[in-house]
Amino acid sequence: MSREPFHETATNEFAERVRTNQQRLRSEVKPYYDFIVCGSGSSGSVVARRLAENPDVDVLLIEAGGNDDVRSVMEANQWPLNLGSERDWGFIDQPKPHINGRAMPLSMGKVVGGGSSINAMAWARGHRNDWDFFAKEADDSSWSYASVLNLYRRMEDWHGAPDPDYRGSGGPVFVQSAPDPNPIAPAMVEGARSVGIPTFESHNGRMMEGTGGAALIELRAREGRRLSAFRTYTFPFMDRPNLTVLTDALVTRVMLDGSRATGVNIVYGGRTQRIGARLEVVLSLGAMHTPKVLMLSGIGDATELRKLGIPVVQHLPGVGQNFQDHFAMGCGNTMAPCIVIGERAGEMLRDSHRI
């Protein structure tokens, strides 16, 4: 059964079908599924949907957080209310000497949709250098920038000036430039230009192929409503019998038979359960919880695991290392819809008093 791309306007009839179907599926959690997807953020939502397109497989999508049907998630301009709420894991960085000893918050979504349900809704693609690096490391050209650019065009429903080299239309992912940017935003772009940072019409086109620049942001919101990855990809399939979305369920470790993942341990309904996977377990738990679960499962740096008394299954010293965050520039209490990246972004921050 096919369905047109789903955006934010679910009918009451469809929403009720989803509610009753998921209520039934959750009341009858099976001991085995073909695929178990852990984490319903931007990655997990897409993977679960793609797998569930095959009606012959059972898919379980596990999320530690709860429902997204709350005002602070659904209404785009309410997004700051999610930060520090029960929908935010509330991680805090270690104090850093370079920022006067401050400890910065690391907000990550604890709700269906993950970060795409609590973030500022920016649509930001990866840089060419990163994609080509992935392709080289994996020895697989399908990870290259040129290959991924085709995927971006295919998934997009771009509402802006036509640009067939970089943009797509008719896909499930609605994207538009900030429809009513704060006047500070173009001023910040002009400020970037004044200190020698190139400016672009879009941060998802040529800007992703050079040394950096500044541009107005592009958003995953429509008519004041947030468009999370979960609402775009997963929700339209939640009336199907082969996709179970289990909320308020915490993945604690991956079950292994030798080096093969056979299922997961979860805490659900106040008790620990084991759920088996006939085919695959997918970990899409974010930058913090994915390495955490791997390490709790015995996959990580052997020295660190032994310190914690965790039996070593596979020594992989890179697990949990090399975390990198991105910075953001704000004005007052509101993020200005402008993105600045690249070699001179730090210089712009230092000179921001000129803007």
Side-chain angles (χ1 to χ4, degrees), residues 321-342:
Q321 302 296 315
N322 305 313
F323 175 81
Q324 297 182 48
D325 200 3
H326 68 82
F327 61 81
M329 293 183 294
C331 298
N333 294 323
T334 305
M335 285 298 301
C338 162
I339 282 183
V340 183
I341 65 168

Side-chain angles (χ1 to χ4, degrees), residues 83-97:
L83 307 184
S85 75
E86 67 271 20
R87 289 171 293 281
D88 182 358
W89 282 99
F91 294 114
I92 303 293
D93 191 14
Q94 294 181 345
K96 292 289 191 296

Side-chain angles (χ1 to χ4, degrees), residues 17-331:
R17 281 209 312 273
V18 166
R19 188 191 68 80
T20 56
N21 182 56
Q22 291 299 316
Q23 186 178 51
R24 178 182 61 81
L25 293 172
R26 292 168 185 170
S27 68
E28 304 170 356
V29 176
K30 302 174 184 178
Y32 286 91
Y33 292 82
D34 294 310
F35 294 94
I36 298 177
V37 181
C38 305
S40 69
S42 296
S43 297
S45 291
V46 175
V47 171
R49 153 67 179 268
R50 294 302 190 207
L51 292 171
E53 288 176 356
N54 180 354
D56 296 326
V57 299
D58 272 339
V59 180
L60 175 64
L61 176 60
I62 302 175
E63 169 57 47
N67 197 344
D68 64 345
D69 193 13
V70 294
R71 182 182 176 188
S72 60
V73 173
M74 304 303 287
E75 297 185 16
N77 64 0
Q78 300 296 310
W79 71 268
L81 300 179
N82 295 297
L83 307 184
S85 75
E86 67 271 20
R87 289 171 293 281
D88 182 358
W89 282 99
F91 294 114
I92 303 293
D93 191 14
Q94 294 181 345
K96 292 289 191 296
H98 303 295
I99 52 174
N100 298 323
R102 288 179 296 160
M104 302 300 289
L106 298 171
S107 292
M108 294 188 178
K110 188 181 181 183
V111 59
V112 291
S116 74
S117 287
I118 73 167
N119 63 16
M121 292 155 285
W123 176 245
R125 302 174 176 178
H127 194 276
R128 176 174 60 186
N129 292 351
D130 292 323
W131 290 116
D132 288 345
F133 172 77
F134 298 154
K136 180 180 178 182
E137 291 294 302
D139 193 23
D140 185 348
S141 62
S142 61
W143 283 97
S144 71
Y145 175 75
S147 175
V148 172
L149 180 58
N150 288 328
L151 296 178
Y152 278 127
R153 284 198 296 257
R154 193 172 72 193
M155 73 173 65
E156 273 190 352
D157 185 21
W158 166 242
H159 285 247
D163 186 356
D165 290 336
Y166 292 101
R167 313 314 300 240
S169 61
V173 178
F174 177 95
V175 184
Q176 64 175 343
S177 295
D180 186 24
N182 188 299
I184 294 174
M188 292 182 74
V189 175
E190 175 58 24
R193 188 201 60 77
S194 72
V195 296
I197 296 175
T199 59
F200 294 85
E201 70 286 349
S202 166
H203 62 92
N204 284 314
R206 294 181 299 113
M207 184 168 153
M208 288 292 104
E209 299 174 351
T211 58
L216 293 181
I217 210 167
E218 294 168 4
L219 295 176
R220 289 277 292 124
R222 187 175 191 176
E223 297 178 357
R225 304 282 286 179
R226 174 189 294 274
L227 300 175
S228 70
F230 178 82
R231 285 280 162 168
T232 296
Y233 280 93
T234 306
F235 188 75
F237 272 49
M238 285 178 64
D239 64 335
R240 298 189 173 201
N242 69 325
L243 174 59
T244 302
V245 180
L246 196 64
T247 55
D248 301 301
L250 179 69
V251 177
T252 57
R253 63 185 293 263
V254 178
M255 296 189 300
L256 298 164
D257 181 5
S259 60
R260 181 178 181 273
T262 59
V264 294
N265 279 8
I266 67 171
V267 177
Y268 178 62
R271 64 189 184 92
T272 298
Q273 295 180 230
R274 288 192 170 195
I275 303 178
R278 298 185 187 92
L279 298 176
E280 288 186 14
V281 174
V282 178
L283 294 185
S284 49
L285 294 161
M288 298 295 185
H289 286 288
T290 296
K292 174 186 173 182
V293 169
L294 285 172
M295 294 179 75
L296 288 172
S297 306
I299 302 169
D301 184 270
T303 301
E304 296 298 321
L305 297 180
R306 291 189 180 107
K307 286 180 184 178
L308 300 170
I310 300 173
V312 179
V313 175
Q314 178 66 51
H315 171 58
L316 285 179
V319 174
Q321 302 296 315
N322 305 313
F323 175 81
Q324 297 182 48
D325 200 3
H326 68 82
F327 61 81
M329 293 183 294
C331 298

